Amino acid sequence: MNARVRLPVHTDQHAPSYYAASANRSLAFPELAGDERADVCIVGGGFSGLNSAIELVRRGFSVVLLEARQIGWGASGRNGGQLIRGVGHDVERFAPVIGDEGVREIKRLGLEAVEIVRRRIEEFAIDCDLTWGYCDLANKPADLAGFAEDAEALRALGYRHELRLLQPGQMHEVVGSERYVGGLIDMGSGHLHPLNLALGEAAAAAALGVRLFERSPVLRIQHGAEALVHTARGRVRAKTLILGCNAYLNDLEPGLGGKVLPAGSYLIATEPLSEEQAQALIPQNMALCDQRVALDYYRLSADRRLLFGGACHYSGRDPADIAAYMRPKMLQVFPQLADVRIDYQWGGMIGIGANRLPQIGRLAEHPNVYYAQAYSGHGVNATHLAGRLLAEAIAGEQSRGFDVFARVPHMTFPGGRHLRSPLLALGMLWYRLKELL
Ligand SMILES: Cc1cc2nc3c(=O)[nH]c(=O)nc-3n(C[C@H](O)[C@H](O)[C@H](O)COP(=O)(O)OP(=O)(O)OC[C@H]3O[C@@H](n4cnc5c(N)ncnc54)[C@H](O)[C@@H]3O)c2cc1C
């Protein structure tokens, strides 16, 4: 029988996900009470905040990190766990603003981003089920033609990992489904347990001297030569502030909040499958993703559950029963799972930007406030890169990467906080209709 679990988006606890149930450490940081002082105050305890903290403390800065709920409570502790090369989409579009050299830099950094995750895990010996191997899945022949071009472009960039195109008759090598007409295997991308990665990074940050606080939502920012950040029971005074709240920023900094649109994405986890079942579904234990606007993404967990994700709700409303909503999507791909139990269901908020390039920069009106957000559903690698680039910029190091990202302008979604979701929902409906034609 399907579990019937409601999504507690507004509680302080982790979502009732497979990840929360299989977290391999339990960390508890205090609530902020009283006054703290730091070189840098970071708001948000997801991958963006944690990686900025690690990079900064290593450069000799004193750092306070404030998380509204628990470390990894946001998208970082709930996502599909797919660690995929690249940042942004169609980055050539930005050539008129950042030049061909800037485009090349972003592409290069999109590959470096995965290496930062790899090194972080190795260096701190973080146990998070890291597994290499990923395959892009073609829904139509044009996707496959695009994969061939992607592979060429990656090789031209010096990508050192195995890439292999799969023709329709070869798809059984990676997926036990009749749904796809080709694929591109990439052995330099893969999958991991995202909450265990976030918890491992928080433990590493704490060991390096970062002062972390949980259950400490920032309620107000007083800007100035030093930023003064207020929570219910405390304050942090810092020369520099980083906002790493992504889709959960809301009105804390309205100018930034208007540039990121929260969209719900949802996952289900089956009961553990037998070795034979798992082998028949995903023979090489890769992460898999199709090419549609509202894409399916899935993989096996370390204990052989199918973690199946997808959908994108721009309406601001979560499905009342996520399993009932997601299971038919899973059965379209794997009808052979009709009798398999769903053990977990959960969702989280993706932060979408209008041009789908991560927004990494500093506020023009408050130059001591930096931010990283809007990874548009592809942030496991990009958040780690953002942490590095923010730290380089704050430390005054030469950072071509930060400069390139910061030069790209980002549109504010029209309609204000309450109207921008319905407007985008309409836009996305148009793209889905086009896919069907
Ligand atoms: C369901 C789902 C599936 C996804 N799958 C993938 C995937 O497979 N691969 C991939 O690359 N990307 C995926 N993503 C995207 C990826 O998870 C995100 O891009 C990334 O985790 C963003 O990290 P972050 O640290 O910027 O934000 P978050 O992890 O969302 O963290 C922001 C934190 O800020 C805190 N916060 C907000 N306001 C305040 C405040 N006022 N005071 C203090 N703290 C505050 C929040 O509590 C939250 O913990 C997925 C996202 C979702 C939701």
Side-chain angles (χ1 to χ4, degrees):
M1 279 296 99
N2 291 339
R4 294 274 188 269
V5 185
R6 287 242 161 198
L7 181 69
V9 168
H10 301 295
T11 73
D12 279 356
Q13 303 300 312
H14 285 296
S17 65
Y18 161 72
Y19 301 129
S22 55
N24 57 15
R25 61 178 107 203
S26 122
L27 299 178
F29 297 103
E31 180 188 345
L32 179 71
D35 286 354
E36 293 277 338
R37 199 172 241 292
D39 295 326
V40 185
C41 175
I42 298 173
V43 189
F47 290 141
S48 295
L50 293 167
N51 283 281
S52 302
I54 291 173
E55 295 278 353
L56 282 161
V57 77
R58 286 228 150 121
R59 287 169 170 77
F61 291 89
S62 61
V63 181
V64 165
L65 183 149
L66 301 173
E67 163 54 46
R69 287 115 177 162
Q70 287 180 288
I71 293 296
W73 178 92
S76 299
R78 306 167 183 232
N79 61 62
Q82 306 217 356
L83 173 62
I84 307 171
R85 61 170 196 272
V87 289
H89 298 261
D90 304 329
V91 287
E92 286 81 6
R93 279 177 300 152
F94 304 111
V97 183
I98 56 176
D100 292 340
E101 192 45 48
V103 168
R104 250 194 313 280
E105 180 70 6
I106 290 183
K107 289 184 177 176
R108 193 188 64 71
L109 289 171
L111 307 185
E112 169 68 10
V114 174
E115 295 307 311
I116 296 174
V117 181
R118 178 202 296 267
R119 287 198 291 272
R120 191 77 83 228
I121 292 170
E122 282 172 6
E123 182 184 0
F124 295 108
I126 299 175
D127 179 4
C128 61
D129 307 331
L130 176 62
T131 305
W132 294 106
Y134 165 75
C135 188
D136 281 310
L137 302 167
N139 298 92
K140 49 188 193 311
D143 295 336
L144 188 53
F147 293 166
E149 289 171 19
D150 292 348
E152 268 317 295
L154 284 165
R155 289 192 187 105
L157 264 179
Y159 195 54
R160 65 184 175 91
H161 302 285
E162 181 192 341
L163 295 167
R164 189 157 68 88
L165 276 178
L166 294 177
Q167 299 302 323
Q170 297 171 301
M171 289 310 290
H172 63 274
E173 291 180 29
V174 294
V175 63
S177 172
E178 302 303 318
R179 213 167 147 81
Y180 308 106
V181 300
L184 174 63
I185 290 179
D186 167 12
M187 294 309 291
S189 297
H191 55 98
L192 48 75
H193 188 305
L195 181 57
N196 282 339
L197 175 57
L199 295 175
E201 290 176 342
L208 290 167
V210 175
R211 284 167 279 161
L212 296 105
F213 297 91
E214 293 180 310
R215 289 165 287 108
S216 305
V218 172
L219 305 173
R220 189 162 66 88
I221 300 167
Q222 240 175 295
H223 290 289
E226 288 191 313
L228 186 59
V229 165
H230 297 258
T231 67
R233 297 179 55 214
R235 300 187 307 179
V236 181
R237 191 178 290 281
K239 286 191 214 86
T240 304
L241 182 64
I242 292 181
L243 297 173
C245 302
N246 200 30
Y248 297 97
L249 179 67
N250 293 323
D251 290 331
L252 184 62
E253 188 62 54
L256 266 188
K259 294 180 192 297
V260 58
L261 186 97
S265 186
Y266 306 96
L267 284 115
I268 48 179
T270 65
E271 63 185 310
L273 305 175
S274 68
E275 261 177 52
E276 298 69 41
Q277 278 175 312
Q279 175 70 19
L281 288 192
I282 307 183
Q284 299 183 53
N285 194 13
M286 291 181 178
L288 300 149
C289 228
D290 76 17
Q291 302 304 302
R292 292 167 312 137
V293 174
L295 79 175
D296 293 335
Y297 51 91
Y298 49 91
R299 67 185 185 93
L300 294 168
S301 64
D303 59 354
R304 292 195 306 270
R305 298 169 190 273
L306 180 69
L307 305 191
F308 190 94
C312 228
H313 268 211
Y314 302 94
S315 64
R317 283 189 303 277
D318 295 315
D321 183 336
I322 292 169
Y325 179 71
M326 290 302 298
R327 198 162 170 273
K329 294 179 189 295
M330 177 185 80
L331 294 181
Q332 277 179 355
V333 179
F334 295 122
Q336 61 271 44
L337 295 183
D339 294 329
V340 166
R341 198 181 64 224
I342 305 299
D343 278 351
Y344 301 96
Q345 52 178 315
W346 70 98
M349 290 295 169
I350 284 174
I352 312 260
N355 62 19
R356 296 174 80 198
L357 188 76
Q359 300 167 7
I360 302 173
R362 67 202 288 191
L363 294 180
E365 60 281 28
H366 305 296
N368 59 345
V369 180
Y370 291 74
Y371 57 86
Q373 61 179 24
Y375 305 97
S376 300
H378 183 178
V380 174
N381 66 341
T383 45
H384 287 69
L385 174 67
R388 156 88 66 81
L389 299 185
L390 291 179
E392 286 174 355
I394 291 167
E397 294 167 18
Q398 177 82 25
S399 179
R400 275 175 52 206
F402 178 86
D403 294 342
V404 168
F405 275 100
R407 252 189 288 151
V408 176
H410 297 283
M411 192 192 94
T412 299
F413 284 100
R417 186 172 162 199
H418 299 290
L419 253 184
R420 54 181 192 259
S421 288
L423 282 177
L424 197 86
L426 265 180
M428 298 314 286
L429 185 64
W430 163 245
Y431 280 108
R432 275 187 222 175
L433 282 173
K434 271 184 36 182
E435 271 176 353
L436 296 173
L437 296 174

